[in-house]
């Protein structure tokens, strides 16, 4: 039964993406099939083999160690509050983002990250049948983040046609920044974070290849990566530390605002209709949770968490997931994989704003296809969760 539901879930994703495809005749099915098989094999390897368990354990232990180092800095400044158990989420989950951001800056400065991103992207371009730029952007998005990634390819932003720009933005929304992966790992099981990172990378290509199919000619298939502005080591380090701090504070502000607004809307809905707004959304999203592999008896709860992520952000939804202790381990795993992406309404503004800051005209183009962008990124999350559900 599990496999039949998974097949149904994959067919639903393909059907819904095919329905909004801009050029159905241009869809290339061979790369699609190959990427889907590869995605399934990777999910099996990560969730169902000893090798995958060791890889995930190693990745998680690295972040655990890094977070312990980050904790030294947090304790030095906020030690009294930490010892009293106050502000624990902000201090233990969000502030370590500063340290991870600093490490990313060092890896960028020493040219280690650009080398890794570029050559992984080149390998991926051979697999997915898309351009070098699209493949580079997908890998870079998973490390640098959905707004910072566009800076590295800003020389080409103004030259891109609408269809290629869509793919770049869809990749950015379907992945997450490496600087906040450690924060996720403190809220949900690290193995689901790692699995989602890998599956979303290929899922983004699959969905984009259906919604927005095209072929990149040899003349167009170029990659021009913007070099970092020349700075001294400590100038760079200070900049990345401040960037990490800004991210931590912005996430904290978003959580305060969204959690409070959802509580207000829940109260209004409960007073008028007798059910909360989240439960109402849960009923709407329950069919999607079911085809992802969630048992029907838990589909409304799971759907509520999924909807919370879309209307607010993944942090709010992960906090909400932690409150649903009665959910089965399988459901928690499937929903966790779904939550690890930037697919929410606020990301439309973030991505459009990032592109507009580099090229105003292209920023307006992104804003116009913003809802289609969110639609595609959400389908990526559904596909990844469905494939992961096969092996949970």
């Amino acid at each position: 039964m599990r496999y039949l539901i998974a097949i149904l879930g994959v067919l639903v994703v393909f059907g819904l993406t095919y329905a909004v495809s801009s050029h159905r005749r241009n869809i290339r099915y061979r790369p699609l099939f190959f990427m889907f098989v590869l995605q399934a094999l990777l999910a099996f390897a990560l969730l169902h083999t000893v090798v995958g368990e060791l890889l995930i354990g190693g990745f998680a232990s690295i972040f655990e160690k890094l977070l312990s180092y980050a904790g030294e800095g947090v304790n030095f400044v906020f030690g009294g509050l930490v010892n009293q158990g106050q502000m624990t989420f902000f201090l233990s989950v969000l502030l370590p983002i500063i340290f991870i951001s600093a490490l990313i800056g060092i890896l960028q400065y020493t040219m280690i990250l650009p080398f890794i991103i570029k050559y992984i992207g080149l390998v991926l371009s051979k697999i997915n049948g898309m351009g070098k730029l699209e493949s580079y952007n997908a890998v870079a998005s998973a490390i640098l983040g959905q707004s910072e990634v566009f800076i590295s390819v800003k020389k080409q932003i103004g030259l891109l046609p609408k269809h290629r720009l869509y793919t770049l933005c869809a990749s950015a929304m379907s992945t997450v920044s490496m600087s906040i992966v450690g924060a996720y790992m403190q809220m949900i099981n690290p193995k689901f974070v790692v699995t989602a990172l890998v599956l979303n990378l290929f899922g983004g290509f699959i969905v984009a290849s259906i919604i927005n199919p095209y072929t990149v000619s040899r003349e167009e298939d170029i990659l021009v990566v913007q070099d970092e502005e020349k700075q001294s080591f400590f100038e760079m380090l200070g900049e990345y530390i401040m960037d990490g701090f800004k991210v931590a504070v912005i996430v904290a502000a978003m959580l305060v605002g969204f959690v409070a607004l959802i509580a207000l809307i829940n109260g209004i809905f409960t007073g008028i209709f007798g059910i909360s707004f989240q439960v109402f959304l849960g009923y709407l999203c329950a069919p999607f949770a079911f085809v992802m592999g969630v048992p029907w008896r838990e589909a409304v709860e799971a759907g509520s968490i999924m909807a919370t992520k879309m209307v607010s952000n993944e942090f709010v939804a992960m906090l909400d997931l932690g409150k649903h202790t009665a959910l089965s381990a399988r459901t928690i795993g499937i929903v966790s994989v779904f939550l690890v992406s930037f697919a929410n309404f606020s990301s439309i503004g973030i991505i459009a704003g990032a592109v507009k800051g580099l090229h105003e005209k292209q920023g307006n183009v992104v804003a116009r296809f913003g809802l289609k962008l969110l639609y595609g990124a959400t389908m990526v999350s559904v596909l990844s969760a469905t494939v992961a559900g096969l092996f949970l």
Side-chain angles (χ1 to χ4, degrees), residues 337-364:
V337 172
F338 176 87
L339 296 182
V340 182
S341 82
F342 287 141
N344 56 63
F345 283 98
S346 60
S347 288
I348 298 174
I350 292 170
I351 292 176
V355 176
K356 193 167 187 174
L358 300 172
H359 195 284
E360 186 169 353
K361 183 179 177 182
Q362 294 289 60
N364 293 333

Side-chain angles (χ1 to χ4, degrees), residues 32-90:
L32 277 179
F33 176 76
F34 185 74
M35 284 190 288
F36 176 72
V37 170
L38 186 57
Q39 193 182 36
L41 289 173
L42 287 168
F44 173 78
L46 289 169
L47 297 172
H48 222 60
T49 67
V50 175
V51 175
E53 187 177 330
L54 289 173
L55 287 173
I56 290 173
F59 192 79
S61 64
I62 289 171
F63 268 90
E64 184 179 349
K65 199 69 178 174
L66 291 176
L67 291 173
S68 71
Y69 295 141
E72 294 293 325
V74 174
N75 288 337
F76 180 80
V77 178
F78 298 100
L81 293 174
V82 173
N83 295 333
Q84 295 170 26
Q86 298 176 21
M87 298 175 67
T88 52
F89 181 81
F90 181 71

Side-chain angles (χ1 to χ4, degrees), residues 96-118:
I97 291 173
I98 299 170
F99 176 62
I100 304 298
S101 178
L103 287 181
I104 290 174
I106 293 170
L107 292 173
Q108 279 281 92
Y109 187 84
T110 55
M111 300 304 293
I112 294 172
L113 269 187
F115 178 83
I116 293 171
I117 293 170
K118 183 176 181 179

